[in-house]
């Protein structure tokens, strides 16, 4: 149960934090299983998405439902329920103040488990993500608890289901953030017109949307099944020969007890479905496949055929050759390498042209929305971006698969944002969030870097030992990708950069500093990037820059909040980036933000953060057209790609831009 609930119930002070002087490196729990649910000849997948029943607890009595065992019967028998879509944030669905509810809410729904599932199978219940903390019951029995949003979790429910009959699933979700959650927040009790009330606050700049954010699935596996598949890939120097190295774990006893010698047959198919490599594993269920004339995975615009994916078919066999389980996944063959000046993919230097983003939309909040996801990828490609950072938490698995398919590189960020008051409990959860993230995303070719935090307070006491431990864990889990963090602390005070491979910095010249002064951007950006590079001798990325912009507001000469101002701010940065690119170690530019997004209420935010290049409804502001020209110009200069036909508007013969060669 969330710590704050206990504090609440026992009448202790709600504000909980501890300051540990010495941070100890404790083991984090290891994730298991959680392969993305996919059908195969041995597996069935059933979606539980739809309209669920929903109840909010009284803010002053958040544990009432647990004490009164609301999970023991239909929720509607304890409280009047309202309909609630899954997946979606619950906050913006109703017309009352559910938006600002703090504490627990409850969901339930019924489903049938077919009779056929009773025989020789295992059944798993999997959540793509629930924010922030989830407690799950099936038919009144406790199934699983998971803390930290934006990450999947699952549990076996074989023994809890009524087969050929109706079942009930109940979820309690708690959105409270305190000083030991990731991210951190505070709960305070404040006087209001009716007495006292509970208020949630946080320093990070996006709305703390909550609920069942991603799909809920039931899926079956055989009794003995493929539990994990880990892929790494290699390329020969000339990029002609490829290697896919796999390692498989199974769960369950072998078919007969004496039979411990299971094996895996791995087959690799190209895009046309042609078998290009196959092999049999060793006793450890590991092996490698050699691919001649390989099609490497390339980022968008770096190659005429970006995002090339093979399909790997993994078949688990008993020693008598019986087929036990089949799982298929997409594989991109690529290599990454980095030095103190460059970042390379398949031996070619990469320059990132990207965005910081949010999972955020009208009505559904942070709920998975396929229409929005496809639209966003269309816009990313229209604008010529080749990368984005999953600021400030892991994005949906579906979007990671899409990034693989479309050749969009991902800087994969864990949910730590604005970390402060470093303490042992926070460290444990922060490390666990990275462990879960890497476990989930390690096989995606699109993931090219781990971001271990956004804007941690890295001048604070303990920041050095804290980030050393976080970086060490990340490296121990994955040596194939570099580590970064988006830092806003001035380089003079920063204590975390030395543990990173790539320095990313966030800075808002002409916005938060020297507001409105377009003449105070270029030099400052150059000076700061140079200082970071000198200080740490590592490649540098500008991970955030931008300006809030109200769509349709036009002011000439440029004035803050106008479309002219955003465009000018970008152009002044582009100039700095071009000076920096010549230095050899400046490897990328990420605009803040892809689209406007919702934040907590504040007098600095008009309906949310408006630094989007696109509106919240995903329409371009003036800056989008400028950015598009820049990103395609960079792609042409660096990656030899050609301009889209509609990049420049015809003006007159003299104004016509040089023909696309
Ligand atoms: C930042 C944060 C981001 C904010 C942005 C802003 O530095 O990383 O979460 O939204 O600034 O617009 O203030």
């Amino acid at each position: 149960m969330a710590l704050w609930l206990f504090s609440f119930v026992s009448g202790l002070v709600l504000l909980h934090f501890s300051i540990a002087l010495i941070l100890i490196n404790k083991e984090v729990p290891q994730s298991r299983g959680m392969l993305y649910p996919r059908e195969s000849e041995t597996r069935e997948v059933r979606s539980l998405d739809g309209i669920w029943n929903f109840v909010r607890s009284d803010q002053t009595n958040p544990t009432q439902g647990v004490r009164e065992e609301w999970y023991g019967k239909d929720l509607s028998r304890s409280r009047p329920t309202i309909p609630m879509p899954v997946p979606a944030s619950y906050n913006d669905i109703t017309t009352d103040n559910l938006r600002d509810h703090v504490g627990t809410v409850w969901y339930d729904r019924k489903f049938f488990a077919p009779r056929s599932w009773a025989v020789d199978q295992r059944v798993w219940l999997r959540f793509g993500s629930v924010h922030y903390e989830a407690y799950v019951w099936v038919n009144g029995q406790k199934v699983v608890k998971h803390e930290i949003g934006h990450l999947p979790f699952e549990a076996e429910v074989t023994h809890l289901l009524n087969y050929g009959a109706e079942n009930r699933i109940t979820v309690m979700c708690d959105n409270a953030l305190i000083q030991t959650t990731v991210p951190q927040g505070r709960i305070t009790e404040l006087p209001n017109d009716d007495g006292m009330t509970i208020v949630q606050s946080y320093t990070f700049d996006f709305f703390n949307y909550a609920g069942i954010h991603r799909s809920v699935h039931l899926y079956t596996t055989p009794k003995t099944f493929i539990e994990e598949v880990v892929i790494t890939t290699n390329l020969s120097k000339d990029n002609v020969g490829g290697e896919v190295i796999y390692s498989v774990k199974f769960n369950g006893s072998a078919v007969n007890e004496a039979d411990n010698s299971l094996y895996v047959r791995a087959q690799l198919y190209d895009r046309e479905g042609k078998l290009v490599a196959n092999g049999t594993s060793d006793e450890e269920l590991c092996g490698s496949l050699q691919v001649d004339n390989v099609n490497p995975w390339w980022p968008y615009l770096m190659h005429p055929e970006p995002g090339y994916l093979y399909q790997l078919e993994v078949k688990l066999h008993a020693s008598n050759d019986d087929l036990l389980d089949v799982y298929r996944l997409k594989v991109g063959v690529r290599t990454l390498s980095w030095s103190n000046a460059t970042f390379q993919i398949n031996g070619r230097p990469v320059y990132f042209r990207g965005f910081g983003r949010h999972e955020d939309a009208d009505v559904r909040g942070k709920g998975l929305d396929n229409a929005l996801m496809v639209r966003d990828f269309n816009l990313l490609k229209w604008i010529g971006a080749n990368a984005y950072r999953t600021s400030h938490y892991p994005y949906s698995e579906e979007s990671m698969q899409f990034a693989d398919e479309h050749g969009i590189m991902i800087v994969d960020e864990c949910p730590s944002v604005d970390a402060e008051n470093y303490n042992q409990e926070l460290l444990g959860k922060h490390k666990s969030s990275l462990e879960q993230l890497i476990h989930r995303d390690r096989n995606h070719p699109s993931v090219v870097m781990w971001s271990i935090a956004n804007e941690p307070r890295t001048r604070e006491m303990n920041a050095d030992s804290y980030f050393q431990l976080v970086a060490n864990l990340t490296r121990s889990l994955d040596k194939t990708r570099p580590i970064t963090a988006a830092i806003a602390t001035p380089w003079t005070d920063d204590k975390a950069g030395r543990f990173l491979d790539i320095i990313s910095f966030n800075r808002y010249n002409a916005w938060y500093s020297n507001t409105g002064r377009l003449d105070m951007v270029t030099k400052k950006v150059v000076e700061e990037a140079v200082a970071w590079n000198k200080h740490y001798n590592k490649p540098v990325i500008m991970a955030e820059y931008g300006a809030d912009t109200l769509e349709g507001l036009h002011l000439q000469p440029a004035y803050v909040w106008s479309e002219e101002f955003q465009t000018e701010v970008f152009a002044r940065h582009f100039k700095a980036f071009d000076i920096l690119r010549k230095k050899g170690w400046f490897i990328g530019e990420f605009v803040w933000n892809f689209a406007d997004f919702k934040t907590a209420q504040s007098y600095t935010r008009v309906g949310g953060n408006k630094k989007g290049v696109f509106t919240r409804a995903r329409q371009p502001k003036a800056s989008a057209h400028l950015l598009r020209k820049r990103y395609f110009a960079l792609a042409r200069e660096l990656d030899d790609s050609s301009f889209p036909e509609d990049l420049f508007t015809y003006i007159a013969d003299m104004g016509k831009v040089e023909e696309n060669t």
Side-chain angles (χ1 to χ4, degrees):
M1 180 77 47
L3 200 53
W4 81 273
L5 285 181
F6 275 133
S7 328
F8 191 86
V9 169
S10 58
L12 294 173
V13 191
L14 285 168
L15 199 92
H16 171 95
F17 67 88
S18 55
I19 297 174
L21 287 178
I22 299 169
L23 296 170
I24 302 162
N25 195 25
K26 293 192 188 152
E27 297 260 303
V28 290
Q30 293 290 301
S31 302
R32 288 188 63 175
M34 240 120 56
L35 286 172
Y36 189 76
R38 291 183 199 288
E39 289 178 333
S40 75
E41 44 277 59
T42 54
R43 293 168 173 243
E44 270 182 66
V45 179
R46 167 89 77 85
S47 166
L48 291 183
D49 293 354
I51 304 291
W52 291 42
N53 310 304
F54 181 91
V55 166
R56 85 187 82 172
S57 312
D58 294 338
Q59 284 203 165
T60 51
N61 203 352
T63 54
Q64 180 185 14
V66 178
R67 280 184 277 106
E68 293 177 4
E69 301 183 359
W70 290 358
Y71 50 82
K73 48 188 191 285
D74 293 357
L75 277 178
S76 58
R77 293 181 47 200
S78 301
R79 285 289 182 93
T81 60
I82 58 169
M84 188 56 70
V86 169
S89 302
Y90 58 73
N91 307 77
D92 291 346
I93 302 294
T94 65
T95 49
D96 64 5
N97 65 351
L98 180 57
R99 184 190 64 210
D100 298 320
H101 176 76
V102 184
T104 55
V105 298
W106 291 75
Y107 291 77
D108 81 358
R109 69 159 282 170
K110 300 271 188 59
F111 63 91
F112 263 87
R115 263 188 294 193
S116 57
W117 285 8
V119 191
D120 255 3
Q121 318 236 14
R122 296 167 80 159
V123 185
W124 301 80
L125 175 61
R126 187 186 195 275
F127 290 79
S129 92
V130 178
H131 185 76
Y132 171 79
E133 191 170 26
Y135 301 77
V136 181
W137 295 261
V138 167
N139 296 330
Q141 301 293 309
K142 197 160 84 189
V143 171
V144 63
K145 162 188 180 306
H146 181 264
E147 182 179 342
I148 307 182
H150 320 289
L151 289 161
F153 57 95
E154 66 180 9
E156 185 173 0
V157 291
T158 317
H159 52 294
L160 297 176
L161 294 183
N162 303 316
Y163 295 95
E166 205 170 47
N167 295 271
R168 186 184 53 248
I169 172 168
T170 313
V171 177
M172 183 180 83
C173 163
D174 183 0
N175 70 352
L177 300 178
I178 56 171
Q179 287 293 286
T180 50
T181 54
V182 181
Q184 291 161 290
R186 283 177 204 279
I187 304 275
T188 28
E189 224 183 335
L190 292 177
N192 70 355
D193 292 347
D194 303 319
M196 296 299 273
T197 189
I198 291 159
V199 176
Q200 168 83 77
S201 62
Y202 38 85
T203 61
F204 57 82
D205 184 38
F206 54 93
F207 192 80
N208 186 36
Y209 278 115
I212 304 181
H213 277 162
R214 298 183 191 144
S215 293
V216 185
H217 287 111
L218 281 170
Y219 71 93
T220 66
T221 63
K223 287 248 149 60
T224 300
F225 68 100
I226 297 163
E227 188 172 41
E228 289 186 17
V229 183
V230 185
I231 306 293
T232 50
T233 60
N234 276 325
L235 284 169
S236 60
K237 275 231 159 61
D238 55 6
N239 286 348
V240 172
E243 185 181 26
V244 174
I245 303 159
Y246 61 88
S247 144
V248 173
K249 281 196 185 133
F250 78 94
N251 185 335
S253 57
V255 181
N256 71 60
E257 285 304 315
D259 177 4
N260 264 331
S261 48
L262 304 187
Y263 68 94
V264 160
R265 281 206 53 81
Q267 302 193 293
L268 195 72
Y269 296 88
D270 69 11
R271 259 189 196 169
E272 277 69 51
K274 199 173 121 232
L275 182 69
V276 292
N278 68 88
T280 303
S281 70
D282 62 16
E283 283 161 15
E284 308 285 308
L285 304 188
C286 299
S288 81
L289 301 173
Q290 307 302 320
V291 194
D292 298 333
N293 292 319
V294 70
N295 279 304
W297 187 92
W298 286 104
Y300 176 53
L301 299 181
M302 241 176 133
H303 190 271
E305 234 186 317
Y308 193 98
L309 296 177
Y310 291 87
Q311 175 154 273
L312 180 67
E313 184 177 82
V314 180
K315 290 185 165 170
L316 181 69
H317 286 272
S319 62
N320 64 2
D321 294 338
D322 276 0
L323 178 63
L324 300 177
D325 192 15
V326 184
Y327 189 81
R328 295 181 181 84
L329 73 162
K330 296 279 173 70
V331 172
V333 184
R334 54 123 183 86
T335 58
L336 301 179
S337 54
W338 60 97
S339 68
N340 63 351
T342 60
F343 173 83
Q344 303 195 322
I345 191 156
N346 306 336
R348 265 173 60 188
V350 167
Y351 185 76
F352 293 96
R353 317 179 293 269
F355 289 100
R357 296 186 57 195
H358 268 296
E359 286 187 329
D360 171 274
D362 226 8
V363 184
R364 75 225 3 99
K366 293 199 179 305
L368 175 68
D369 177 344
N370 285 329
L372 187 79
M373 182 183 77
V374 177
R375 170 79 180 167
D376 283 357
F377 272 84
N378 287 337
L379 293 175
L380 286 165
K381 291 172 79 175
W382 173 82
I383 212 165
N386 65 4
Y388 64 82
R389 175 166 62 115
T390 66
S391 42
H392 298 310
Y393 39 80
Y395 290 6
S396 70
E397 292 160 279
E398 292 76 6
S399 69
M400 304 306 287
Q401 293 159 13
F402 234 67
D404 291 345
E405 297 271 355
H406 293 269
I408 301 295
M409 292 178 284
I410 304 291
V411 178
D412 209 358
E413 189 157 281
C414 78
S416 170
V417 41
D418 293 6
E420 58 186 353
N421 294 331
Y422 300 108
N423 61 71
Q424 192 68 46
E425 202 175 334
L426 183 75
L427 174 65
K429 287 185 199 161
H430 190 163
K431 289 199 311 188
S432 175
S433 76
L434 274 155
E435 189 279 333
Q436 292 179 54
L437 175 65
I438 294 169
H439 184 90
R440 190 193 78 162
D441 286 351
R442 58 194 169 185
N443 291 336
H444 288 290
S446 57
V447 175
V448 297
M449 211 181 291
W450 303 113
S451 170
I452 61 175
N454 180 73
E455 300 198 357
R457 311 313 192 204
T458 61
R459 60 153 74 87
E460 265 185 30
M461 191 171 65
N462 272 350
D464 39 7
S465 48
Y466 184 94
F467 279 100
Q468 182 168 25
L469 295 173
V470 173
N472 284 352
L473 174 90
T474 310
R475 247 178 227 115
S476 73
L477 294 170
D478 183 14
K479 293 181 181 53
T480 70
R481 296 173 176 93
I483 300 177
T484 194
I487 301 179
T489 305
W491 66 271
T492 41
D493 300 338
D494 170 63
K495 295 184 194 167
R498 67 194 174 103
F499 306 114
L500 308 174
D501 300 306
I502 291 168
I503 303 291
S504 300
F505 74 100
N506 299 349
R507 196 70 62 214
Y508 289 87
N509 290 294
W511 191 258
Y512 294 125
S513 55
N514 305 313
T515 312
R517 295 306 304 245
L518 291 164
D519 58 336
M520 295 184 190
V521 175
T522 310
K523 204 163 147 213
K524 287 199 177 292
V525 172
V526 173
E527 280 172 2
E528 180 164 13
V530 167
W532 280 109
N533 174 259
K534 268 211 174 122
H535 191 55
Y536 287 122
N537 189 27
K538 289 176 184 171
V540 176
I541 290 173
M542 189 156 199
E544 287 185 22
Y545 70 96
D548 281 88
T549 305
L550 190 64
E551 86 237 42
L553 178 66
H554 289 280
L555 295 166
Q556 183 65 30
Y559 189 91
V560 284
W561 289 94
S562 68
E563 300 220 23
E564 284 73 11
F565 188 80
Q566 188 182 37
T567 309
E568 269 296 306
V569 164
F570 284 14
R572 306 284 172 140
H573 280 82
F574 299 162
K575 208 165 174 189
F577 300 150
D578 282 351
I579 297 169
L580 289 166
R581 283 198 297 128
K582 296 204 180 85
K583 299 188 185 289
W585 44 257
F586 188 76
I587 61 163
E589 50 191 86
F590 288 74
V591 175
W592 190 259
N593 186 285
F594 176 75
D596 294 347
F597 58 91
K598 181 88 161 261
T599 61
Q601 301 189 59
S602 116
Y603 51 75
T604 62
R605 298 281 177 256
V606 189
N609 187 308
K610 300 278 191 225
K611 294 193 184 70
V613 165
F614 297 99
T615 63
R616 204 178 190 210
R618 273 44 178 194
Q619 295 301 336
K621 298 182 189 171
S623 63
H625 297 281
L626 179 77
L627 192 64
R628 184 169 184 239
K629 293 190 175 93
R630 165 132 185 116
Y631 280 179
F632 274 105
L634 287 170
R636 183 159 93 155
E637 179 195 326
L638 301 170
D639 301 329
D640 235 8
S641 83
S642 49
F643 286 154
E645 272 175 15
D646 65 344
L647 189 62
F648 295 100
T649 314
Y650 181 86
I651 302 164
D653 255 358
M654 291 302 290
K656 197 175 170 194
V657 183
E658 187 193 331
E659 281 298 319
N660 184 8
T661 46

